[in-house]
Amino acid sequence: MANSGVIRLPEDEPRAPVRKRARPRGSEPGQEEARRAGNVQQMEALREEDHSVRLLEELLFGAEEQLLGRLQENAEKTSASLLLDDDDDDDEEGDDSKVRPSVSKGPVWFDEDDEKDEEVDMSHRYRRNLIKGDAESKMPKMDLQRRMTEHFQKTMGGKPSWAEPSSQRKKRKGDEYDEDDLMKRTGNFVAPSERLPAGILQVKRCCPSNASRPSVDRLSSIQFHPSAQVVMTAGLDQSISLFQVDGKSNPQIQNVVLERFPVFKARFSHDGHAVIATSLRNKLFYVYDMMAGRVMPVPAIRGLNEAHVKEFSVCPEGGAMLLSGTNGYLHLLTLKTQEVIGSMKMNANVSSVAITSDSSKVFAHSDEGEVYVWDVRSSRCMNRFSDEGCLVGTSISASPDGRYLACGSQSGVVNIYSQEACLNSTNPKPVKAVMNLLTSATSLTFNPSSEVLAMASHCEDEAVRLLHVSTLSVFSNFPLSKKKFVYRASCLDFSPHSGFFSLTNNKGHAPLIRLLHYKDF
C-alpha cells in the first residue's frame, strides 16, 4: 500500500541517481545545530541594527502584503495632502480676510550650466533678428534669454495670459472672460453649421407631387411657385395642374385642360400670377391668369417670324420671356404689349439658354459646343468661347449667386465654370468636369442658395445626380432607393427655399424629395 504524500515517477522515465551529501569532517549533529542557532542570532542582531537590511529581507523573501500596505498608506497620505491644498485654495478664494504666506515655486529642473556666464554667437541665422547693434556679435546666455523673452512678448502684443501664474490671472481685472472658467462650464459652444455639408445628403422620400392626380401621359414640366407652397405640373395629356405641397398627400388645387394642345413647356410668370404654356408644333401659346381664372390664347406676336413657339425661358425680373427660335435666333418678348423688343443671332442652333438672376445677361449653349454671352439691354454679344471637350451642347444653367455656370454635353460631361472667367476670357477652363452621367446631360438646375446642382439625363432610368457645389463632389446617397422611382427624368426644380426637390418622368409621376437640411419651403 503506497504511502500518502509520495509522488511516484512514471515507469518509463529513468530515475536520477541519488547522491548522498557528504558531511563535513569533524562535524557532529549537535555541533551543526549549535552553529545554525548562532547564525540566526547574528541575523536578528543585524536586523535590529539596520532597518534597510530588514526591508531587503522582506522584499527578497516575500513580504508582498506588507509592501502593498505601505504603498497604499503612502498614496493615501499624498492624496490627502493634495486635497488639503485644494481646500486651502478654495478658502482663499472664498475668504479674502485670510492672509497666507506666499510660497514661491522653485524650478522643476536645475542645470549647473545655467549659472555659467557663457557667451553665445549671435551671427547665427536664427539669432540675427535679435541683435540691436553691431557690437552684439556675442551675448551672454542669460542676456540672450531675456532678449528672446522680450522679442516673444513684443510679437504676441504683450505677455500672454497662459504664461502668468494662476493667482495673477484670478486677480487680473478688466478681462472680459477667464479662459479657465470657460473650460469649466458646460454648454453648446459650437453651433451647427448653416452651410450644407458634403458627402451624405439628408433626404426623405415623400408622396409624389401629383399623387392626387397622376398624369396619363409623359410629364414635360414641373415648377414650384415663387411665393406660395404650390407646385405646377404639365405634360402631354393636354393639362396644367396645381397642387398644394404638404409632403403627405399634396392635394390638387386646380386643373386646366387645353384641348388639342399637348404641353411642351410651362412656366410661372416672374410674379407668379400667370402660367405660360407652349406646345410642340404651334405658333399659338397660352397664358393662364390664375388671379382672374381664365385662359388667354396668344395667336401671334408682332415682329416674330417663327413657325413654332416651343422653347422659352422667363426672365427673373421684368415681364419678358426669351424665346429660342430657329437658325440661332433668340427673341426677347414682352407679355404686356405682346411684341418683340430685341433679337440676338448665333452662328449655330440654340440648344439651351440660362438667364442670370438680375436678367442682365444671357448664356446660350449651341449644338456645336460653343457658349455665347449676351447683354440683354443692348442685345450685344459680350463673349464667346468653346465648351471644353464638348461636341454637342445639350443644357446650361447659371447659379443664382452669380458664381458658377454649368454646361452639359451630349457625352454626359458637365463642365462647371466660373462666371467671371466666362465673361472675361475667350478660353476659360472649367473648375470641375463632372462625369457621373453616362448619357446626354439634358437637364441642369441650381437650387436657390447655389449649394446644389441637379443633373439629369432623360436617356436612361435613374440618371439623376446632385452635386455639392462648394466641394464640387456628388452626393453618394442619391438616388436613395434601390427600387426605381425616378425613371427617365425630363425636368428638375427646387422649391423657393430648397426644402423640396421634384422632377418629372415618363411614367406620369413627379417624385418629391424632402431636403432635411433646409427648414423652409
Side-chain angles (χ1 to χ4, degrees), residues 129-145:
N129 59 339
L130 300 175
I131 299 176
K132 294 183 178 180
D134 297 337
E136 293 183 346
S137 60
K138 290 186 178 181
M139 183 180 294
K141 184 181 293 185
M142 299 300 294
D143 295 344
L144 176 61
Q145 184 176 359

Side-chain angles (χ1 to χ4, degrees), residues 31 76 100 109 117 151 228 230 306 353 408 425 510:
Q31 296 178 357
E76 292 177 354
R100 297 179 56 196
W109 177 259
D117 194 11
H151 180 72
V230 175
E306 295 288 344
V353 297
S425 175

Side-chain angles (χ1 to χ4, degrees), residues 173-240:
K173 296 181 179 180
D175 291 349
E176 295 181 359
Y177 60 90
D178 189 356
E179 295 166 351
D180 293 339
D181 294 339
L182 180 64
M183 299 306 296
K184 292 176 183 178
R185 296 197 305 266
T186 60
N188 186 15
F189 291 104
V190 181
S193 175
E194 295 182 358
R195 297 186 63 85
L196 179 68
I200 302 297
L201 183 64
Q202 300 297 327
V203 296
K204 178 184 177 181
R205 183 179 172 184
C206 302
C207 179
S209 300
N210 63 338
S212 57
R213 187 189 180 277
S215 176
V216 296
D217 206 337
R218 179 173 65 88
L219 288 176
S220 59
S221 299
I222 188 169
Q223 188 182 13
F224 289 93
H225 195 274
S227 58
Q229 198 164 335
V230 175
V231 65
M232 179 264 298
T233 62
L236 302 183
D237 62 347
Q238 308 175 16
S239 66
I240 300 173

Side-chain angles (χ1 to χ4, degrees), residues 269-498:
S269 60
H270 74 286
D271 55 6
H273 294 168
V275 176
I276 306 167
T278 61
S279 188
L280 295 172
R281 298 179 180 86
N282 291 323
K283 190 175 182 179
L284 168 75
F285 66 93
Y286 285 96
V287 176
Y288 168 51
D289 190 347
M290 294 186 295
M291 304 301 293
R294 67 174 186 268
V295 179
M296 299 177 294
V298 182
I301 294 290
R302 286 184 298 176
L304 180 63
N305 187 18
E306 295 288 344
H308 307 290
V309 176
K310 183 177 177 182
E311 183 67 45
F312 72 97
S313 300
V314 176
C315 296
E317 293 185 4
M321 57 182 285
L322 188 67
L323 175 66
S324 299
T326 57
N327 300 323
Y329 274 101
L330 291 171
H331 304 285
L332 191 64
L333 315 178
T334 175
L335 297 178
K336 187 175 182 180
T337 59
Q338 299 183 359
E339 61 181 352
V340 177
I341 58 177
S343 296
M344 296 161 278
K345 176 71 168 66
M346 298 168 52
N347 295 335
N349 293 326
V350 181
S351 60
S352 181
V353 297
I355 307 174
T356 58
S357 57
D358 58 356
S359 301
S360 62
K361 301 176 186 63
V362 173
F363 296 93
H365 209 184
S366 71
D367 59 357
E368 294 182 356
E370 287 187 322
V371 178
Y372 291 75
V373 185
W374 300 91
D375 180 70
V376 176
R377 183 179 296 273
S378 62
S379 299
R380 180 178 59 88
C381 182
M382 303 174 59
N383 196 13
R384 170 185 171 187
F385 63 91
S386 297
D387 186 12
E388 190 174 83
C390 175
L391 298 178
V392 178
T394 54
S395 57
I396 194 170
S397 181
S399 63
D401 62 356
R403 295 185 58 190
Y404 295 104
L405 180 72
C407 301
S409 64
Q410 193 177 35
S411 61
V413 178
V414 178
N415 288 329
I416 301 177
Y417 296 90
S418 168
Q419 285 194 26
E420 183 179 0
C422 296
L423 295 174
N424 301 323
S425 175
T426 57
N427 188 24
K429 298 297 180 181
V431 296
K432 178 71 174 182
V434 185
M435 302 183 182
N436 294 81
L437 296 179
L438 303 181
T439 52
S440 179
T442 54
S443 299
L444 297 174
T445 302
F446 283 93
N447 77 319
S449 63
S450 302
E451 293 179 303
V452 181
L453 172 64
M455 308 172 292
S457 173
H458 62 57
C459 303
E460 194 72 27
D461 288 343
E462 308 298 304
V464 179
R465 298 293 182 269
L466 298 181
L467 178 81
H468 186 254
V469 177
S470 298
T471 59
L472 299 176
S473 60
V474 174
F475 292 103
S476 59
N477 63 324
F478 192 88
L480 69 163
S481 177
K482 295 181 180 179
K483 183 180 179 181
K484 286 185 179 182
F485 77 101
V486 172
Y487 295 98
R488 302 199 176 190
S490 58
C491 186
L492 317 170
D493 196 33
F494 292 91
S495 60
H497 295 94
S498 305

Side-chain angles (χ1 to χ4, degrees), residues 92 125 339:
E92 181 183 359
R125 59 190 180 94
E339 61 181 352

